[in-house]
Amino acid sequence: MPRKPAPGTRERILDVAADLFDRRGVHAVGMQQIIDGVGCGKQLLYREFPSKDHLVVAYLERSAQAWASTLARVCATVDAPEDQLVELVRAVQGMAPNTRGCPLRNTHAEFPDPGHPAHQVSLKHFQDVREQLRELARRTPAAHPDRLGDRIMLIIDGLYVSGSTLGPTGAGATAVGLAQDVVRAEIAAQAV
Amino acid sequence: MPRKPAPGTRERILDVAADLFDRRGVHAVGMQQIIDGVGCGKQLLYREFPSKDHLVVAYLERSAQAWASTLARVCATVDAPEDQLVELVRAVQGMAPNTRGCPLRNTHAEFPDPGHPAHQVSLKHFQDVREQLRELARRTPAAHPDRLGDRIMLIIDGLYVSGSTLGPTGAGATAVGLAQDVVRAEIAAQAV
DNA sequence: GTCTATACTTTGATAGAC
DNA sequence: GTCTATCAAAGTATAGAC
């Protein structure tokens, strides 16, 4: 059984691949470019990732983990659930300094075939996020928590997309302000 | 200079191409599939569209025209500008019965290269739409019309994206309700 | 002359062999 | 790491039908 040559090999490959995928899109990046970027041989890459699909899936799962980390960090930093929702929107604004938007959203758009693993992995992620946001909203005193969660999800989706075309600054301010107002309105509706 | 043999040729090609592009994405559709779908020869297609890029651009411009028609229809049907904004969101909800979202958004995600014509055409469309929405918002008594316009744009973007993953019904209701509340809130802010 | 159908060339990709 | 097999796609050219 072949041993791993260096412990960080898998991560290094993923670093290079993620950078290229983020900037140019998955379809436009060939395996050879990734190999050249890593600076190692073909064997090594194909040992870690038997096919490009495997590599893409690993890339998506890593992006999903980045979201999970953000969620955990925000929940650990901010106390009130209603503030957590707003802070998540602000965190998304900060997560996309480039103008290309969300890796999972972009890759999802690149693989419309429902049978493709990249499509399935990204789709499951969005369903998970929706449930997480609804769960957070249920801890607030909002009148309709599921509606609040879905609205925050819509704002985050719009932020990713608008930010990739209109620039992150303008769209970011719009999204955060809107999220604040939405949360406030839902809480106020409860007070009535 | 060769004349058009049949007047509807160009439209027929675009019909077939748009259907395939919408369902499977631009990259996944080969010129041969479009030719097979139309039932014509290669010469004819390449006479109307000298390259695939030309065809994609025509496809995008046609989608942009569909938006322009929707905008004109809503403005002609509804009187109050604040109702027009909400009605636009509702119209977008109806325009995406499939689960693939906006053709312009999807194609934009498929062509990240800023030098590619498909990227430029779609980008210009989004800038135009943003200005149109701001212009509509300026006719309302909203306190901050540009902010209102940007918020509606964010909602429309989010609707396209959320609808493509969570289904158009749930996301549509969320987006329309949110748009109503946003418009109402901006008008109320003016009343103060 | 105009359209269909097919063959061909070039390019670039994945993936495996050594 | 290099070299190669395989395949798919864009675009061109050509042969032939109405």
Side-chain angles (χ1 to χ4, degrees):
Chain A
M1 185 174 172
R3 303 164 55 250
K4 292 189 194 171
T9 302
R10 194 182 172 89
E11 286 306 309
R12 260 176 38 90
I13 294 171
L14 270 177
D15 284 341
V16 172
D19 180 59
L20 289 169
F21 288 162
D22 283 343
R23 283 207 315 253
R24 301 184 210 170
V26 173
H27 280 307
V29 174
M31 295 294 265
Q32 193 57 52
Q33 298 176 47
I34 298 170
I35 288 161
D36 291 346
V38 175
C40 72
K42 221 176 218 187
Q43 263 187 340
L44 196 55
L45 188 146
Y46 276 98
R47 192 183 294 296
E48 291 292 329
F49 305 99
S51 77
K52 189 178 182 179
D53 283 355
H54 287 81
L55 178 58
V56 174
V57 166
Y59 158 67
L60 293 178
E61 285 172 344
R62 205 211 211 183
S63 298
Q65 280 182 351
W67 164 260
S69 299
T70 300
L71 179 66
R73 181 172 49 77
V74 167
C75 287
T77 308
V78 181
D79 279 342
E82 50 266 36
D83 295 336
Q84 289 172 351
L85 288 173
V86 175
E87 209 53 38
L88 272 176
V89 176
R90 200 191 310 274
V92 168
Q93 177 196 12
M95 268 173 64
N98 50 5
T99 56
R100 268 274 293 162
C102 170
L104 284 146
R105 286 286 174 201
N106 289 331
T107 309
H108 187 78
E110 273 194 274
F111 293 90
D113 178 11
H116 197 284
H119 187 93
Q120 295 169 352
V121 169
S122 49
L123 185 59
K124 183 181 183 316
H125 169 72
F126 301 131
Q127 291 165 345
D128 289 347
V129 171
R130 185 193 202 190
E131 194 47 49
Q132 289 163 0
L133 292 176
R134 286 180 160 203
E135 182 61 33
L136 277 189
R138 284 190 203 108
R139 298 193 194 135
T140 72
H144 308 287
D146 282 358
R147 189 177 77 174
L148 174 58
D150 286 355
R151 287 187 173 191
I152 296 294
M153 173 120 185
L154 192 93
I155 291 169
I156 289 176
D157 282 337
L159 168 56
Y160 274 129
V161 177
S162 289
S164 70
T165 56
L166 304 180
T169 42
T174 302
V176 172
L178 180 54
Q180 284 172 335
D181 288 356
V182 163
V183 168
R184 219 172 337 215
E186 292 282 342
I187 307 285
Q190 170 67 0
V192 173
Chain B
M1 187 171 174
R3 302 167 61 249
K4 293 187 193 173
T9 302
R10 195 184 171 88
E11 285 307 308
R12 261 179 32 94
I13 294 171
L14 270 177
D15 284 342
V16 173
D19 180 59
L20 289 169
F21 288 162
D22 282 343
R23 283 207 314 255
R24 302 185 210 170
V26 173
H27 280 308
V29 174
M31 296 295 264
Q32 192 59 52
Q33 297 177 50
I34 298 171
I35 288 159
D36 292 346
V38 176
C40 70
K42 238 178 198 185
Q43 260 188 345
L44 192 57
L45 189 147
Y46 275 98
R47 170 123 52 228
E48 292 292 328
F49 305 98
S51 76
K52 187 177 183 180
D53 284 354
H54 287 80
L55 179 58
V56 173
V57 166
Y59 157 68
L60 293 178
E61 286 171 346
R62 204 210 212 184
S63 298
Q65 280 182 352
W67 164 260
S69 300
T70 301
L71 180 66
R73 180 172 49 77
V74 166
C75 287
T77 308
V78 182
D79 279 342
E82 50 266 35
D83 295 336
Q84 289 172 351
L85 288 173
V86 175
E87 209 53 38
L88 273 177
V89 176
R90 201 190 310 275
V92 168
Q93 176 195 13
M95 270 172 62
N98 49 6
T99 56
R100 266 274 291 163
C102 170
L104 284 146
R105 286 286 175 201
N106 289 332
T107 309
H108 187 79
E110 273 196 274
F111 293 91
D113 178 9
H116 197 284
H119 187 93
Q120 295 168 354
V121 169
S122 50
L123 185 59
K124 183 181 182 318
H125 169 72
F126 302 131
Q127 290 165 347
D128 289 347
V129 171
R130 186 194 202 188
E131 195 45 51
Q132 289 162 0
L133 292 177
R134 287 181 159 203
E135 181 60 33
L136 278 188
R138 283 190 203 108
R139 299 193 195 134
T140 72
H144 308 289
D146 283 357
R147 190 177 76 173
L148 174 56
D150 285 356
R151 286 186 175 192
I152 295 294
M153 174 119 185
L154 191 94
I155 292 169
I156 289 177
D157 283 337
L159 169 55
Y160 274 129
V161 177
S162 289
S164 70
T165 54
L166 304 180
T169 43
T174 301
V176 173
L178 180 54
Q180 284 171 335
D181 288 357
V182 163
V183 169
R184 218 171 340 214
E186 292 281 343
I187 307 285
Q190 169 66 1
V192 173

